[in-house]
């Protein structure tokens, strides 16, 4: 009999997730490693997949699939031909798995890999005791970055990539719309690039408290006030949209100075209306931002080694895998910021 483990799986293209008994992963193949997962964060995209609210239809053919793409763990076994890693090494893992051989990969455009898969989306993920990953996707962790902080690497790389897209410079005035984890990581990375950061949320008291714990002071809850009234119009060099609410795109454009940049980071279940005349007359730009490069992953791990402790308040809940669905509900109700699952606790 194949040994079993528990896993949080998406089994059907409809609302919900299941805690299921699944087979343990097979022994790692050539170039792969088997990882004991020690910490795995629930991401906004996991919530979208849980709610099945649109934007993640590409996951359906992989079902039943174990979610979990922001994680850290210890290497339990190595496949043939793996160099530079050893049993017991602590790693975090880039979830985007590319072939390295196709036309796009050979041109260095890994994001466009013709057979790209995502750990925890279109291949088995880390909301389980063990997960398989290509060795090349592993990033070694310094001893000073513990497991739960290491599991913040992936969301921080998303924030870092957004800040790169917005070309943030020292002294820039930055508005982050959306105080969830993506908004928080953008705020953290923009601050570290020297920007003056304002963050707005709507009915998001708990997550604004989390941002205060991260030492942000310019925080606005739009519960009763429209954005333009709360922060004044047209003042920001760069606006980051991290709400996933299409209507916020126009509000964000209205907050930019002339020649300002709006970076779209949320995943939107429907299309957004855009005031193109404003875009044209004010010479604004809209840019998209998503996955980060390996160089950015390394930079974020170094940052965690330096100042990770300051970022620990991002993690508001820690739960065993058996209580993962409670964690999803806490995140869905915006009570939680980052919920960390501890599958080997
Ligand atoms: Zn994520
Ligand atoms: Zn490829």
């Amino acid at each position: 009999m194949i040994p079993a483990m528990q896993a949080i799986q998406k089994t059907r293209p409809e609302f919900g997730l299941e805690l299921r008994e699944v087979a343990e992963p097979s022994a790692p193949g050539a170039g792969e490693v088997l990882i004991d997962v020690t910490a795995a964060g629930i991401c906004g995209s996991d919530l979208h997949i849980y709610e099945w609210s649109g934007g993640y239809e590409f996951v359906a053919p992989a079902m039943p699939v174990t979610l979990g793409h922001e994680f850290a763990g210890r290497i339990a076994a190595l496949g043939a031909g793996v160099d530079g890693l050893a049993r017991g090494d602590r790693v975090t893992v880039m979830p985007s798995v590319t072939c390295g051989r196709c036309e796009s990969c050979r041109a260095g455009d890994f994001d466009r890999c013709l057979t790209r898969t995502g750990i925890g989306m279109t291949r088995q993920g880390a909301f389980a005791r063990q997960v398989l990953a290509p060795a090349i996707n592993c990033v070694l962790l310094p001893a000073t970055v513990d497991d739960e902080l290491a599991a913040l690497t992936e969301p921080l790389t998303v924030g870092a990539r957004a800040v790169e897209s917005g070309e943030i410079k020292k002294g820039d005035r930055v508005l982050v719309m959306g105080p969830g984890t993506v908004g928080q990581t953008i705020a953290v990375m923009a601050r570290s690039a020297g920007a003056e950061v304002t963050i707005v949320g709507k009915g998001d008291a708990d997550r604004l408290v989390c941002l205060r714990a991260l030492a942000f002071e310019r925080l606005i809850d739009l519960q009763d006030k429209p954005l333009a009234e709360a922060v004044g119009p047209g003042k920001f060099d760069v606006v980051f949209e991290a709400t996933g609410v299409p209507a916020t795109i126009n509000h964000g454009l209205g907050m930019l100075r002339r020649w300002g940049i709006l970076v779209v980071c949320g995943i939107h279940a429907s299309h957004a209306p855009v005031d193109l005349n404003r875009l044209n007359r004010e010479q604004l730009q809209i840019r998209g931002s998503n996955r980060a490069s390996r160089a950015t992953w390394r930079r974020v791990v170094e940052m965690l080694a330096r100042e990770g402790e300051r970022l620990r308040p991002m993690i508001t809940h820690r739960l065993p895998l058996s209580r993962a669905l409670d964690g999803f509900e806490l995140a869905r109700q915006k009570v939680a910021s980052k919920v960390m699952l501890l599958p080997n606790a």
Side-chain angles (χ1 to χ4, degrees):
M1 207 184 87
I2 305 165
M5 62 179 184
Q6 291 196 309
I8 296 294
Q9 288 206 319
K10 187 73 182 176
T11 57
R12 281 186 297 269
E14 59 191 49
F15 182 95
L17 288 171
E18 287 178 52
L19 179 64
R20 301 177 82 206
E21 289 278 314
V22 301
E24 278 183 3
S26 50
E32 276 188 329
V33 292
L34 179 66
I35 298 168
D36 286 331
V37 181
T38 48
I42 297 177
C43 177
S45 50
D46 297 324
L47 282 182
H48 285 297
I49 294 168
Y50 171 49
E51 296 180 322
W52 206 246
S53 49
Y56 287 86
E57 292 73 15
F58 64 89
V59 171
M63 294 177 194
V65 66
T66 302
L67 300 190
H69 62 269
E70 312 179 344
F71 64 100
R74 267 185 311 274
I75 294 190
L78 304 151
V82 174
D83 291 325
L85 291 171
R87 269 193 69 182
D89 277 351
R90 297 172 59 253
V91 293
T92 185
V93 178
M94 299 171 65
S96 179
V97 177
T98 55
C99 76
R101 293 183 300 273
C102 72
E103 204 179 303
S104 305
C105 284
R106 276 186 286 128
D109 186 4
F110 294 100
D111 231 42
R112 285 254 152 270
C113 174
L114 300 175
T115 59
R116 200 181 74 78
T117 54
I119 294 173
M121 295 223 182
T122 52
R123 57 180 274 164
Q124 304 306 331
F127 291 161
R129 207 172 59 237
Q130 293 190 313
V131 65
L132 284 171
I136 198 172
N137 285 53
C138 294
V139 179
L140 277 168
L141 295 168
T144 47
V145 180
D146 64 27
D147 295 332
E148 66 172 25
L149 287 178
L152 292 178
T153 306
E154 194 271 352
L156 284 165
T157 64
V158 171
R161 174 70 201 125
V163 165
E164 288 162 14
S165 298
E167 294 180 47
I168 298 302
K169 303 175 300 296
K170 196 170 163 51
D172 276 355
R173 287 161 311 169
V174 162
L175 178 68
V176 180
M177 302 171 74
T181 293
V182 174
Q184 290 176 17
T185 63
I186 294 167
V188 162
M189 299 311 291
R191 175 172 66 187
S192 136
E196 179 192 287
V197 182
T198 304
I199 304 139
V200 297
K202 191 169 187 181
D204 250 316
D206 291 312
R207 299 196 295 192
L208 290 171
V209 166
C210 175
L211 279 156
R212 199 158 285 123
L214 293 167
F216 288 97
E217 283 161 14
R218 297 164 188 272
L219 303 171
I220 296 160
D221 194 336
L222 299 173
Q223 193 69 291
D224 334 288
K225 251 193 212 168
L227 183 56
E229 211 176 292
V231 294
K235 292 291 176 282
F236 293 95
D237 300 296
V238 180
V239 172
F240 293 94
E241 175 282 321
T243 62
V245 178
T248 59
I249 300 293
N250 263 334
H251 296 153
L253 285 175
M255 293 296 106
L256 286 171
R257 66 156 167 83
R258 240 171 122 69
W259 302 301
I261 299 170
L262 174 77
V263 184
V264 177
C265 305
I267 294 291
H268 296 255
S270 59
H271 293 179
V274 174
D275 181 353
L276 293 173
N277 289 339
R278 187 199 290 270
L279 201 74
N280 174 331
R281 294 196 175 116
E282 302 292 316
Q283 306 212 38
L284 308 176
Q285 291 186 39
I286 300 179
R287 298 181 182 178
S289 179
N290 194 312
R291 276 179 296 278
S293 68
R294 173 174 287 269
T296 301
W297 275 72
R298 291 236 168 79
R299 189 160 62 79
V300 167
V301 169
E302 282 163 19
M303 188 189 104
L304 280 168
R306 273 194 323 272
E307 51 181 308
E309 208 49 53
R310 251 180 110 193
L311 305 184
R312 201 180 297 278
M314 282 179 66
I315 304 166
T316 54
H317 296 74
R318 296 157 182 89
L319 295 171
L321 198 62
S322 57
R323 290 195 53 209
L325 293 177
D326 297 341
F328 272 83
E329 274 305 312
L330 286 167
R332 201 158 84 94
Q333 287 152 23
K334 301 181 177 184
V335 175
S337 280
K338 185 58 73 187
V339 177
M340 213 44 92
L341 301 178
L342 309 170
N344 274 285

